[in-house]
Amino acid sequence: MSKKYAFLFPGQGAQAPGMVKDVCEAHPEARACLDSISEIVGEDIPALLWETEAAVLSRSDRSQLSITAASLAVAAALKAKGIEPALCAGFSLGEFPAMCLSGVLSFEDTIRIVKLRGEIMQKVCDDIAARSAGNPPGMAAVMGLAPDQVKEIAKAAGEAYAANMNSVKQTVVSGTAEALAKLEELGKAAGARRVMRLAVAGPYHSPLMQAAADELQKVLADITFNDPKTIFLSNVTGKAVTSGAEIKKNAILHLTNPVLWTDEEAVLGKIIQEGQAAGEEWSILEPGPGKVLCGLWKDTEFSALVSAQPVNTADHIANL
């Protein structure tokens, strides 16, 4: 039976001070990955990951680079152990390490784009906050209501938009500070189990990020996006994409369009089903900080086929 791995890379909100430090101490390849990133951006990346306060680390211009660095460091340790992906997907920001591991982007281009993307998005978020008397925009997870119901509540809240289709039990909404406050009020009145603000600095995957999309398009203009060497799933389409040109187009649409994660999970589930029928053994790994995507996988109808495992400690890697 052949062994295949699906790598699911986490997005913003997964960051935490000290992330993957023990992985880098146990695996020289992981530390070398961080040192290479430090050279590319001219910054001490280990210090960013291990010595930055949580509040600062949550900013787009800090979290995007740090999460990508942590994810790629874990992937480097896995590669040294002979574990490489047959399928790559990433949640929001996680699409960039997914592009790197799929061969869509070079390692250096991945890092340079992520750094600029984070800076661009943070500036737009600061501009939105300035127009709201300093109140920062953001995202909130609505739990316990159907996605369609959350979409209607978001419309009624003002500048709020359903942004992440996480699961049948959870939809994340992006919006201004005022709209998210209204969303919480309307969500609770509609019977939501919980409306929880997320540790992110902006209203991602919504029309509020159009200015950032316009700037990112300029950044990507001269960057080569190759056709993926692995199966690559897209947040924008919710499907497998085989064209580098389409992935490049989606990288811009990504900022203003919702993350169709439940659609991607369904595609992954069907690939695993078909693979198992053909004698393949699949494992799902979440390389990088946190374990959010593993939790979302548990909510799918396919979770009985194979479990998803977080990979962000030395013990996790040793046990694979």
Side-chain angles (χ1 to χ4, degrees):
M1 180 178 285
S2 61
K3 181 80 170 182
K4 291 191 172 182
Y5 294 92
F7 281 17
L8 309 182
F9 291 99
Q12 281 183 254
Q15 72 279 347
M19 54 186 163
V20 306
K21 186 175 184 180
D22 70 328
V23 173
C24 292
E25 291 171 346
H27 297 275
E29 302 83 6
R31 178 55 192 254
C33 177
L34 296 191
D35 291 341
S36 294
I37 297 172
S38 295
E39 291 180 12
I40 292 169
V41 300
E43 179 180 351
D44 186 342
I45 295 302
L48 172 64
L49 268 61
W50 306 334
E51 300 171 17
T52 306
E53 294 181 359
V56 176
L57 204 57
S58 71
R59 290 174 54 90
S60 291
D61 53 2
R62 303 285 74 198
S63 62
Q64 294 200 25
L65 183 58
S66 63
I67 292 167
T68 300
S71 296
L72 291 175
V74 172
L78 291 173
K79 182 177 181 179
K81 193 169 179 173
I83 298 174
E84 296 188 77
L87 180 150
C88 288
F91 192 100
S92 188
L93 165 70
E95 284 209 340
F96 284 90
M99 289 180 207
C100 185
L101 268 289
S102 288
V104 174
L105 290 173
S106 69
F107 179 83
E108 188 164 322
D109 281 344
T110 300
I111 300 307
R112 293 191 187 283
I113 291 169
V114 166
K115 183 175 188 298
L116 289 170
R117 182 180 185 268
E119 292 170 354
I120 288 167
M121 291 171 68
Q122 186 60 53
K123 182 181 183 304
V124 170
C125 294
D126 290 344
D127 290 345
I128 296 170
R131 296 196 299 269
S132 301
N135 296 313
M139 304 177 82
V142 181
M143 304 174 190
L145 296 179
D148 286 344
Q149 191 174 6
V150 175
K151 291 176 184 178
E152 290 303 314
I153 292 171
K155 287 180 183 178
E159 287 188 286
Y161 308 89
N164 297 346
M165 307 299 113
N166 285 2
S167 75
V168 294
K169 301 177 182 178
Q170 182 187 122
T171 302
V172 173
V173 175
S174 288
T176 62
E178 295 83 358
L180 291 180
K182 186 66 174 177
L183 176 84
E184 183 173 7
E185 175 188 326
L186 295 175
K188 289 181 178 178
R193 181 167 56 84
R194 191 178 181 191
V195 180
M196 179 179 69
R197 285 291 294 263
L198 303 184
V200 297
Y204 310 129
H205 306 291
S206 80
L208 293 169
M209 299 303 295
Q210 184 60 55
D214 294 341
E215 288 301 311
L216 184 63
Q217 185 169 15
K218 298 173 187 176
V219 169
L220 300 185
D222 298 324
I223 303 293
T224 298
F225 280 62
N226 304 303
D227 295 343
K229 297 176 181 177
T230 73
I231 300 169
F232 182 88
L233 304 185
S234 167
N235 289 174
V236 172
T237 67
K239 301 175 182 178
V241 178
T242 59
S243 161
E246 184 177 354
I247 294 172
K248 183 174 186 175
K249 176 183 175 184
N250 288 343
I252 299 162
L253 293 173
H254 200 223
L255 295 185
T256 56
N257 282 251
V259 172
L260 303 181
W261 191 249
T262 52
D263 290 352
E264 290 181 66
E265 289 177 320
V267 172
L268 173 57
K270 289 173 184 175
I271 289 171
I272 291 173
Q273 273 185 330
E274 293 172 1
Q276 289 177 341
E280 297 172 353
E281 180 185 356
W282 279 84
S283 290
I284 301 175
L285 305 180
E286 184 177 352
K291 55 183 180 180
V292 169
L293 304 184
C294 293
L296 295 180
W297 180 255
K298 288 180 182 178
D299 288 339
T300 71
E301 62 183 291
F302 302 102
S303 60
L305 297 174
V306 58
S307 61
Q309 305 173 65
V311 186
N312 51 50
T313 69
D315 284 346
H316 287 158
I317 295 173
N319 291 332
L320 289 173

